[in-house]
């Protein structure tokens, strides 16, 4: 077992200067599928596969850990749109079951697929802006990389 260094850190002006990261701007850029830092390079190389790095500024995207959060957020967003709409239609109009299934299921499927990539991009932008999961230039000592 290794002993951690107990030497005090000396803070200087240079160690305190860090790149300012606007959370909303980074999330908007990620939502559009662009690099959260520069907004120029592509964030995705496939539908849900992030690129290894930005082609414009060179930001490394490999540390991101979006995992299942984008899927959960899409379920919440689409559910809050579809469920009230279905309840309103079913209470105010009488529709046959086959028409209901023919309309609601495809809309839910298409809306979920349409939102999945933009929401994942926004989550990656949020992680970059908050310096989460390896997006920090100077990670604290003693914490192994994920």
């Amino acid at each position: 077992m290794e002993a951690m260094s107990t030497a005090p850190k000396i803070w200087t002006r240079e160690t305190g200067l860090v790149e300012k990261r606007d959370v909303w701007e980074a999330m908007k850029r990620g939502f559009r599928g662009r690099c959260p830092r520069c907004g120029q390079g592509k964030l995705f190389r496939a539908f849900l596969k992030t690129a290894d790095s930005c082609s414009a500024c060179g930001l490394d995207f490999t540390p991101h850990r979006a995992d299942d959060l984008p899927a959960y957020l899409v379920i919440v967003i689409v559910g809050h749109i579809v469920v009230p709409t279905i309840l309103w239609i079913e209470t105010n109009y009488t529709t046959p079951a086959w028409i209901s299934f023919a309309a609601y299921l495809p809309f839910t499927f298409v809306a979920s697929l349409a939102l999945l990539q933009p929401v994942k991009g926004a989550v990656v932008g949020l992680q970059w802006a908050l310096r989460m999961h390896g997006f920090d230039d100077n990670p604290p000592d003693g914490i192994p990389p994920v």
Side-chain angles (χ1 to χ4, degrees):
M1 188 164 156
E2 293 181 32
M4 291 185 60
S5 173
T6 59
K9 290 187 178 185
I10 300 173
W11 294 97
T12 62
R13 180 180 295 252
E14 289 76 30
T15 59
L17 293 176
V18 293
E19 174 186 12
K20 295 204 182 277
R21 298 179 179 178
D22 183 21
V23 175
W24 295 112
E25 188 66 29
M27 288 179 68
K28 283 193 295 189
R29 289 173 177 169
F31 190 83
R32 291 190 314 254
R34 298 291 172 196
C35 171
R37 181 195 288 163
C38 68
Q40 302 298 319
K42 290 186 177 182
L43 182 59
F44 296 99
R45 62 182 159 96
F47 180 62
L48 289 177
K49 299 279 185 189
T50 57
D52 293 331
S53 62
C54 176
S55 59
C57 69
L59 176 65
D60 183 21
F61 298 135
T62 56
H64 90 84
R65 297 285 179 263
D67 297 332
D68 292 335
L69 180 61
Y72 293 135
L73 293 176
V74 167
I75 290 169
V76 168
I77 293 168
V78 172
H80 277 83
I81 295 169
V82 169
V83 171
T85 304
I86 291 173
L87 289 174
W88 179 76
I89 291 172
E90 293 298 322
T91 56
N92 293 323
Y93 303 102
T94 304
T95 58
W98 70 271
I99 292 178
S100 298
F101 284 123
Y104 304 147
L105 293 178
F107 175 77
T108 304
F109 179 72
V110 170
S112 298
L113 282 180
L115 279 176
L116 198 52
Q117 186 183 39
V119 169
K120 182 172 182 174
V123 168
V124 172
L126 176 71
Q127 290 177 352
W128 175 80
L130 297 179
R131 303 177 194 282
M132 297 170 64
H133 304 295
F135 281 121
D136 188 7
D137 297 332
N138 302 314
D141 295 334
I143 298 176
V146 177

